[in-house]
């Protein structure tokens, strides 16, 4: 009905207009399988029930497949503890749970794919408002948790039995960790039980080792990058928080501190054997300005993640710092702002694991609280204290990069003359981590370098080691006392870490000197080049 060119909306039209104004657009995130994704959609509900869109080509722009490719819509109903799959179709699928709940699995069977042999899973329920896109050529299956569990599929092509290639759901090459409760025998079809292993279809895969499952939180950082090298890239799933990185998935530790379900979802997706938590708020002066962020990323977030990892039996590794100690200083008169409480001076380092902590700043306090929180969430966790970490990385922000960048451009650099530590090569830290995990170690360990060095002495050793390969002018180093350095947070001065406990646990491990580390770095470059 039109009056003066104004359309009077019917109740139905008013309802759908309100939907458009109320519903948030769907959010699509990449999964650890190349081209696979999980979409979270919104739902409108009132006293009558609810309404949501299962697909809208104008909104689902994050999907790998455009809407015009959907050729078939399918529906399945399954009893409790049914296991379907792994079914491999040449066509992509978009799956929604419309009743009940199931653990949806994607396994990459595509030759030439960067994630070939990897699997991941997503819990889909009729309440969690998630959907999964499975790329064509990948195996797909699910395990149900309730009777009358129903799934809706949109498919890029029509089902053709001649083009399907099923694989046994317990194929050891893929090694899917199906969440089957203890004592339960999954209900399978005769067809799925008789499905061959992948190596039968592809004899070239005989002897192919299954991928490891190491989740590296903060895989774009200098510790995370070294860990991915040490464990092997094919065995790792790395995460990023701000800047997308190829082959990695998004995870924000600060958000997870406030929303623990994010950590649970991540762990359920990757189902890791090991979780290395490298991400944190490590800008010491920034922690003074943003103590809430410091505690979220250095305390609550790691503890939430440790609890989620322990729930699936994963080994947890978290990284702390020598800044839990005072370095022989006390807050009054040491320069900088006060941390939470007042730290008493101690005799200074190098410190052993048994020495009483006394942090001077918010960064150290948040890390100390994080140590206790992580070990409370998982008493079998590994907590590794380290200090002055350097080595190849993608971002290029550690001390050695700063030194090479500034001196290489002819710019003078102020270097604290009174801060002593045991500089740690990131590849040595990663190697020690891997060895400790393999040894089944738990609890608190120090991991550092072999040489107690002041920052100026460290810089001079770096310059000497670089020599003619990256010539730098040592005369551009300007020694300053920490109290005059203009830093917002107090720093421990006489610090560093003892390694006796670590050497006893992994006697074949030995940290490299600065000269040896620089030689290795230049011989095996990774990430940004020195001087960039």
């Amino acid at each position: 009905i039109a009056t003066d060119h104004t359309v009077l909306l019917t109740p139905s039209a008013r309802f759908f207009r309100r939907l458009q104004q109320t519903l948030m657009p769907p959010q699509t995130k990449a999964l650890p399988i190349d081209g696979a994704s999980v979409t979270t959609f919104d739902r409108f509900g009132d006293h009558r029930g609810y309404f949501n869109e299962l697909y809208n080509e104008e909104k689902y722009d994050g999907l790998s497949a455009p809407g015009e490719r959907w050729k078939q819509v399918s529906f399945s109903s399954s009893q409790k503890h049914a296991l379907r799959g792994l079914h491999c179709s040449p066509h992509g699928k978009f799956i929604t749970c419309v009743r009940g709940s199931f653990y949806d699995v994607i396994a990459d069977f595509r030759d030439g794919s960067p994630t070939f042999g990897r699997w991941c899973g997503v819990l889909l329920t009729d309440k969690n408002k998630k959907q999964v896109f499975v790329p064509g050529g990948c195996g797909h299956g699910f395990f149900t948790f309730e009777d009358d569990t129903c799934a809706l599929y949109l498919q890029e092509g029509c089902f053709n039995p001649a083009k399907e290639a099923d694989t046994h759901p317990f194929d050891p090459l893929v090694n899917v960790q199906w969440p089957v409760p203890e004592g339960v025998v999954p209900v399978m079809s005769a067809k799925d039980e008789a499905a061959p292993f992948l190596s039968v279809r592809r004899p070239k895969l005989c002897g192919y080792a299954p991928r490891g499952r190491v989740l590296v939180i903060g895989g774009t950082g200098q510790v995370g990058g070294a860990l991915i090298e040490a464990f092997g890239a094919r065995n790792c799933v790395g995460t990023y928080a701000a800047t997308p990185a190829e082959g990695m998935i998004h995870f924000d530790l600060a958000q997870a501190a406030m929303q623990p379900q994010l950590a649970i979802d991540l762990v359920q997706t990757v189902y890791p054997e090991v979780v290395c938590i490298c991400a944190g708020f490590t800008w010491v002066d920034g922690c003074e300005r943003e103590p809430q962020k410091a505690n979220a990323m250095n305390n609550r977030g790691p503890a939430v993640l440790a609890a989620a990892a322990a729930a699936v039996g994963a080994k947890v590794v978290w990284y702390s710092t020598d800044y839990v100690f005072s370095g022989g200083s006390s807050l009054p008169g040491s320069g900088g702002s006060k941390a939470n409480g007042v730290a008493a001076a101690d005799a200074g380092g190098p410190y052993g694991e048994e020495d009483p902590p006394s942090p001077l700043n918010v960064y150290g306090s948040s890390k100390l609280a994080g140590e206790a929180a992580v070990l409370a969430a998982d008493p079998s966790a590994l907590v590794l204290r380290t200090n002055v970490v350097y080595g190849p990385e993608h971002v290029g922000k550690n001390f050695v990069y700063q030194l090479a960048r500034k001196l290489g451009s002819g710019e003078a650099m102020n270097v604290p003359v009174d801060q002593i530590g045991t500089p740690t090569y990131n590849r040595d830290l990663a190697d020690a981590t891997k060895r400790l995990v393999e040894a089944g170690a738990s609890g608190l360990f120090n991991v550092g370098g072999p040489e107690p060095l002041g920052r100026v002495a460290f810089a001079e050793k770096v310059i000497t080691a670089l020599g003619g390969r990256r010539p730098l002018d040592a005369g551009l180093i300007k020694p300053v006392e920490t109290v005059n350095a203009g830093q917002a947070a107090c720093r421990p001065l006489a610090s560093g870490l003892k390694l006796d406990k670590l050497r006893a646990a992994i006697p074949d491990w030995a940290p490299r000197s600065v000269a040896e580390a620089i030689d290795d770095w230049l011989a095996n470059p990774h990430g940004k080049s020195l001087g960039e």
Side-chain angles (χ1 to χ4, degrees), residues 281 287 294-295 298-299 318 361-371:
F281 192 22
C287 288
N295 276 290
N298 298 336
N299 176 4
W318 182 66
N361 52 45
V362 172
Y363 172 62
S365 296
S366 67
K367 283 288 193 176
L368 182 60
E371 292 180 359

Side-chain angles (χ1 to χ4, degrees), residues 371-393:
E371 292 180 359
V374 167
L375 288 170
D378 179 11
S380 67
L382 262 176
V383 172
L384 304 183
R385 287 178 181 159
T386 190
N387 73 138
V388 197
V389 180
Y390 67 99
E393 57 163 310

Side-chain angles (χ1 to χ4, degrees), residues 103-349:
Y103 186 66
D104 203 61
V105 168
I106 309 169
D108 195 344
F109 296 159
R110 298 166 297 178
D111 284 328
S113 167
T115 54
F116 173 79
R118 178 182 290 171
W119 71 271
C120 71
V122 177
L123 177 66
L124 297 181
T125 78
D126 55 12
K127 296 180 177 64
N128 70 2
K129 299 177 288 187
K130 291 184 178 181
Q131 302 164 291
V132 167
F133 176 71
V134 181
C138 288
H140 172 251
F142 59 77
F143 177 78
T144 63
F145 299 105
E146 303 176 47
D147 278 326
D148 198 20
T149 289
C150 299
L152 182 74
Y153 306 73
L154 303 181
Q155 297 173 214
E156 290 182 318
C158 296
F159 176 73
N160 182 344
K163 294 183 178 180
E164 300 287 317
D166 297 344
T167 295
H168 198 282
F170 293 99
D171 188 332
L173 185 150
V174 186
N175 196 28
V176 174
Q177 300 299 298
W178 298 98
V180 179
E182 187 175 355
V184 169
V185 177
V187 181
M188 297 170 56
S189 70
K191 174 173 165 286
D192 287 346
E193 286 184 331
F197 290 161
L198 198 60
S199 59
V200 174
R201 294 188 183 277
R202 307 178 198 178
K204 65 180 182 181
L205 295 176
C206 289
Y208 183 91
R211 287 176 178 256
R213 304 191 65 77
V214 180
L215 176 58
V216 181
I217 307 298
T220 57
Q222 64 170 336
V223 176
L227 285 166
I228 290 172
E229 273 192 331
F231 282 99
R234 73 183 298 272
N235 299 315
C236 296
V237 174
T239 73
Y240 69 89
T243 304
E246 185 177 357
M248 297 194 187
I249 59 176
H250 179 264
F251 179 74
D252 190 318
L253 192 58
Q255 287 184 351
M258 306 300 140
Q259 303 173 59
Q261 188 63 44
L262 295 175
I264 295 169
D265 289 347
L266 175 68
V267 168
Q268 287 180 342
T269 291
V270 179
Y271 232 95
E273 301 162 323
V274 181
V275 178
C276 296
I277 310 171
C278 316
F281 192 22
T282 58
W283 179 25
V284 179
D285 291 346
C287 288
E288 296 293 309
R289 301 185 184 105
E290 300 182 79
Q292 290 184 332
K293 180 179 177 180
N295 276 290
M297 296 192 68
N298 298 336
N299 176 4
R300 292 192 302 272
V304 162
L305 196 49
V312 299
K315 181 68 178 181
V316 174
V317 185
W318 182 66
Y319 296 85
S320 189
T321 173
D322 68 327
Y323 273 42
V324 300
F325 299 109
S326 71
S329 301
S330 59
L331 276 173
S334 62
S337 63
K338 293 185 178 181
N340 299 328
V342 176
D346 56 37

Side-chain angles (χ1 to χ4, degrees), residues 29-46:
K29 293 173 59 175
L31 289 171
I33 303 295
D34 187 44
S37 59
V38 58
T39 297
T40 303
F41 60 87
D42 204 0
R43 175 175 284 164
F44 176 84
D46 58 21

Side-chain angles (χ1 to χ4, degrees), residues 461-473 518-519 522:
K461 282 184 174 286
V462 169
I463 292 169
T464 299
L466 289 172
R469 296 173 291 184
R470 299 284 194 284
L472 300 174
D473 182 0
I518 295 296
D519 283 345
L522 295 181

Side-chain angles (χ1 to χ4, degrees), residues 431-432 435-436 438-441 445 499-511:
D431 182 47
R435 289 169 182 259
L436 286 168
E438 291 171 346
F445 284 84
L499 304 179
D500 300 12
K501 181 179 178 182
L502 180 66
R503 288 188 169 111
I506 46 173
D508 293 337
W509 176 86

